[in-house]
Amino acid sequence: MPAAETTDALNQRLADSGLRSTPQREVVYRVLIGKRDHPTADEVFARVKSELPTISLATVYNCLETLVQCDLVRAVNVERGPTRYCPNLRPHAHFHDEKTGRTHDIDLPPGLLDQVKSVLPPGYDPTSVEIIFRGKATKPSS
Amino acid sequence: MPAAETTDALNQRLADSGLRSTPQREVVYRVLIGKRDHPTADEVFARVKSELPTISLATVYNCLETLVQCDLVRAVNVERGPTRYCPNLRPHAHFHDEKTGRTHDIDLPPGLLDQVKSVLPPGYDPTSVEIIFRGKATKPSS
DNA sequence: CTATATGCAAATAGTTTGCCTGTTA
DNA sequence: TAACAGGCAAACTATTTGCATATAG
C-alpha cells in the first residue's frame, strides 16, 4: 500500500468527521501502519519523534484518540498497563503471548463474530465484539 | 451459598497454593461474592472498610492479586481505567454497557469457547479466552 | 482570520514498592 | 518463632488537563 494511499484514507476520515489534517496526525498514523506490533503511546511517541522531533507526548495521545474516534485504529487493553494501538481494520482477535508479552492478530473466519453474538440474550445490542486469547505461541512471530 | 462454604473454598485454595488464611483475604473475597458488580479495587476497599475499618488499600490490592492467583477471581479490563474484579467462575463473557458503564456477565453455552479456540492456527496454545461485548443493554440489570 | 491543534508543564488516577510491625501456622 | 501478611507513605506509571502559541482551512 503506497504511503499516499493511507494518507488519503486518513484525510478522508478526518474530513468526514470535520477534523483537520495535520502533519502530526499523518505521521502517527503512518507509524502505526508501518509497524503493526501494537505499540503503546510511548512507543509511538519514540517512533514519531525521529521524523517529527518536536512532537509532544500529549499530542501523540491526542492523535491516537482522534484516530480511534475516526475508526481507523483500535485501542486494545490485553493486560493491565498502557493501552496499545492496532490499525488492523479486518475482523480479528488478539492472541497475547504471556511468554513474550507480544500480541498477535488472529484473522477470524466470516460469520464467527455473528455466531458469538448469537449467544447474547434478547436486550443486549452489541456494537462490537472483542476476543482475546492468552497463552503460549510457538509460532515464530507476526 | 452459606458464608462458611465460600470461606471453606477460599481456605482450600489458599492452602493448595501454600498461602495463609487471613481475615483480610476472607472479607475481600466475601465482599466480591456478595455483590458481583465488577467493582474496582477502590470500591472493594470501601466495602471492606465497613467490616474491617483498619484495612489499607495496599492490602486490598494484595488480596485481590492473591485471589486472582488462586483462580477464584478474574481481573477484567473492559475499558481504560481501573481493573475490575469478577468472582464468577463459570465460563462467561462480559457485556459492557456503554451507556451506564456497567458490565454484565453473559453465560456461554457449552462448547462455545472451544469453537472460538478452533479458529487459532496451529502453534497458538491458549490457556484462556476472553470475550467482551460492547454496546447498549436494554435489559434492566443483572 | 479564527477555530482548531500543538507543546509544555503541572495535575491526576491507579497501582506498586519499601520498610517496619503484626500475625499465622 | 520464623516466614508470611498487613499498614502506611512515598514512588511510579500512564494519562489528562490548562493554557499560551502556532497553524490549517
Side-chain angles (χ1 to χ4, degrees), chain A residues 16-61:
Chain A
D16 289 353
S17 306
L19 298 167
R20 290 177 180 170
S21 173
T22 71
Q24 290 85 348
R25 284 169 181 175
E26 277 188 24
V27 176
V28 166
Y29 186 52
R30 272 197 287 104
V31 153
L32 284 173
I33 292 289
K35 192 155 176 250
R36 294 155 173 256
D37 57 351
H38 307 90
T40 64
D42 258 335
E43 287 164 350
V44 172
F45 182 46
R47 293 173 198 178
V48 167
K49 259 202 295 200
S50 64
E51 192 165 345
L52 227 53
T54 62
I55 198 171
S56 74
L57 179 56
T59 296
V60 170
Y61 274 105

Side-chain angles (χ1 to χ4, degrees), chain A residues 61 65 68 75 77-81 83 85 93 95 98 104-109 112-113 115-139 141-142, chain B residues 61 65 68 75 77-81 83 85 93 95 98 104-109 112-113 115-139 141-142:
Chain A
Y61 274 105
E65 182 57 23
V68 169
N77 283 272
V78 286
E79 55 184 340
R80 185 178 327 176
T83 297
Y85 295 88
F95 187 100
E98 293 173 323
H104 305 253
D105 285 0
I106 306 290
D107 275 319
L108 294 176
L112 192 271
L113 288 182
Q115 213 173 323
V116 170
K117 281 182 194 169
S118 74
V119 309
L120 284 168
Y124 290 97
D125 189 15
T127 57
S128 71
V129 190
E130 181 175 11
I131 299 177
I132 302 171
F133 300 96
R134 295 183 178 83
K136 270 194 282 285
T138 58
K139 267 285 169 71
S141 78
S142 154
Chain B
Y61 274 104
E65 182 57 23
V68 169
N77 283 270
V78 287
E79 55 183 342
R80 184 178 325 174
T83 297
Y85 296 88
F95 187 100
E98 293 175 323
H104 305 253
D105 285 0
I106 306 291
D107 276 319
L108 294 177
L112 192 270
L113 288 182
Q115 211 174 326
V116 170
K117 281 182 196 169
S118 74
V119 308
L120 284 168
Y124 290 97
D125 190 17
T127 57
S128 71
V129 191
E130 182 176 12
I131 299 176
I132 302 170
F133 299 95
R134 295 183 177 83
K136 270 193 281 284
T138 60
K139 268 281 168 71
S141 79
S142 155

